[in-house]
DNA sequence: TGCAAATCTTGTCATCGGCAAGTTGTCGCT
DNA sequence: AGCGACAACTTGCCGATGACAAGATTTGCA
């Protein structure tokens, strides 16, 4: 049947994609608690039951959005590390900056990604996506302390990630420097990053 | 009217308290997303509309539970620090251990406390309760590096808190050492703590 | 070409949070 | 003591939600 170009086709065509995009926007607008499957459907221009054909449940949609978030996070980390030149210490700091910048730009998504809510890594793809961010951090640490033992490298990768993650998490929750100006917060973040690098180097040269 | 001792009185008497306790248990059982005002009411043995007389909304109840959580967290930190003797370094490590132990014992509550969901510090009491945990960490750091400048102390307090918070958060989310035994995780946590202390001391003596 | 499967729709159900109105118990005031 | 206002709790209702069922439409493959 011929129909006008502006008419909505019965089949959306890319509903899965559209739902993920709409869901991400909705999430940042209304928060995790205001996230609604039906509202996602409305924004995608389909009926409330349509998403069921692409996501088994609302948790499935959240998991998909989280996976995409991990990929973006990894991209932001590598991009910022690349901009930081060849010095391993600078690269590690840069990666941390990329991490924090992504979290600050997508606070609700970031919260979802690191929330055990609807996110219990049942999906193998989610665990894999999360692991890639860890591996990036691990590689950067290994480049910084190449002569350290495997165990020290691992411990310091943990530590490096924990420092960065903890700092930006606390900032996003308003627990650190609530009333500080953005650039003051950035300075504090950089201070935390260099303290972290110092710790890694110290442990790596022992 | 005389009634048997076992009969339920029309007035509960301590509903506010009972709701907070029931809510906390429910939260740990069903997760933040499974938390329901009506289920809290059921567990407290009252009708679904009774909580409204004690909490303006579900977010109010969550905020109350979070405040209690902060008080418990601070108590756990001071208790563990006290057990660690007089050495400032040991006390700082101990406080971190108390922090992590509380988080591990109450993962969902911990997530709520550090979640911007329903937790936007509108309530002054909540902000105050949260601040007390930060001040504890700050005092422990200041005791460790008494001769450092105020700014260094502040930055190192940030760093110390971020390290501890980030580490336990990642562990609880299963991002760090998912398959490790509990004691192996504890060892990794202690390693992170001592690395953190070392850096604080170093920065404080510079 | 024709038919099965995929996609999307409308309709329904139990449950949720919040509000309204009525019931029961408590407590202060005279 | 008694009574009247108020606090605590109840039932009942509303719109919205997630999930499910059954029907309509489109696609694609045999």
């Amino acid at each position: 049947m011929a129909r006008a170009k502006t008419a909505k086709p019965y089949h959306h065509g890319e509903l899965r994609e559209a739902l993920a995009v709409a869901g991400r926007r909705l999430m940042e607008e209304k928060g995790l608690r205001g996230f609604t499957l039906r509202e996602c459907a409305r924004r995608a221009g389909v009926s409330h039951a349509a998403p069921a054909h692409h996501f088994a449940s609302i948790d499935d949609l959240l998991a998909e959005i989280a996976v995409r978030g991990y990929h973006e996070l990894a991209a932001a980390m590598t991009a910022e590390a690349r901009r930081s030149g060849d010095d391993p210490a600078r690269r590690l700091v840069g990666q941390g900056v990329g991490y924090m910048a992504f979290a600050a730009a997508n606070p609700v998504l970031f919260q979802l990604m690191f929330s055990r809510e609807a996110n219990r890594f049942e999906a193998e793809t989610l665990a894999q996506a999360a692991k890639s961010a860890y591996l990036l951090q691990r590689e950067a640490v290994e480049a910084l302390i190449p002569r350290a033992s495997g165990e020290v490298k691992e411990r310091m990768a943990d530590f490096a990630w924990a420092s960065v993650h903890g700092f930006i998490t606390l900032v996003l929750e308003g627990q650190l420097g609530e009333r500080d100006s953005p650039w003051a917060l950035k300075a504090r973040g950089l201070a935390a990053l260099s303290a972290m690098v110092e710790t890694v180097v110290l442990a790596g040269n022992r």
Side-chain angles (χ1 to χ4, degrees), chain A:
Chain A
M1 184 202 316
R3 51 176 159 70
K5 261 193 274 184
T6 57
K8 192 182 64 176
Y10 192 89
H11 279 29
H12 184 289
E14 297 182 5
L15 224 202
R16 189 179 172 92
E17 174 78 17
L19 286 171
V21 171
R24 176 160 167 183
R25 290 179 59 89
L26 172 62
M27 182 181 302
E28 294 295 342
E29 289 175 21
K30 303 291 183 63
L32 228 39
R33 226 181 158 72
F35 183 88
T36 286
L37 199 56
R38 283 166 114 103
E39 177 65 20
C40 289
R42 274 191 288 269
R43 294 191 177 200
V46 294
S47 76
H48 65 267
H53 292 272
H54 299 274
F55 300 99
S57 70
I58 190 175
D59 290 350
D60 256 35
L61 173 52
L62 288 173
E64 167 76 16
I65 294 175
V67 167
R68 292 167 179 241
Y70 277 114
H71 291 154
E72 251 186 65
L73 172 61
M77 289 169 72
T78 54
E80 195 66 32
R82 201 179 317 256
R83 289 194 354 154
S84 303
D86 289 333
D87 177 44
R90 281 180 171 279
R91 286 184 71 89
L92 183 53
V93 169
Q95 220 166 58
V97 168
Y99 192 97
M100 292 186 183
F102 173 84
N106 310 275
V108 181
L109 172 59
F110 187 75
Q111 182 186 351
L112 167 71
M113 288 161 56
F114 293 94
S115 147
R116 60 199 310 126
E117 294 300 313
N119 189 353
R120 270 316 62 218
F121 292 359
E122 319 131 2
E124 187 56 34
T125 67
L126 215 173
Q128 196 172 354
K131 190 127 198 166
S132 71
Y134 171 72
L135 290 180
L136 279 178
Q137 199 77 348
R138 170 112 191 231
E139 286 168 13
V141 167
E142 288 182 347
L144 182 59
I145 50 172
R147 311 182 57 178
S149 72
E151 185 174 336
V152 167
K153 284 172 177 170
E154 191 178 351
R155 294 272 157 102
M156 286 304 107
D158 290 359
F159 184 79
W161 193 13
S163 306
V164 174
H165 184 81
F167 185 86
I168 193 62
T169 298
L170 291 175
V171 167
L172 291 182
E173 303 309 336
Q175 307 261 7
L176 278 184
E178 212 166 349
R179 62 198 63 178
D180 286 11
S181 62
W183 72 261
L185 270 182
K186 194 165 183 177
R188 291 172 83 170
L190 285 175
L193 280 177
S194 51
M196 176 271 284
V197 168
E198 196 168 3
T199 303
V200 171
V201 171
L202 200 67
N205 288 342
R206 187 156 32 213

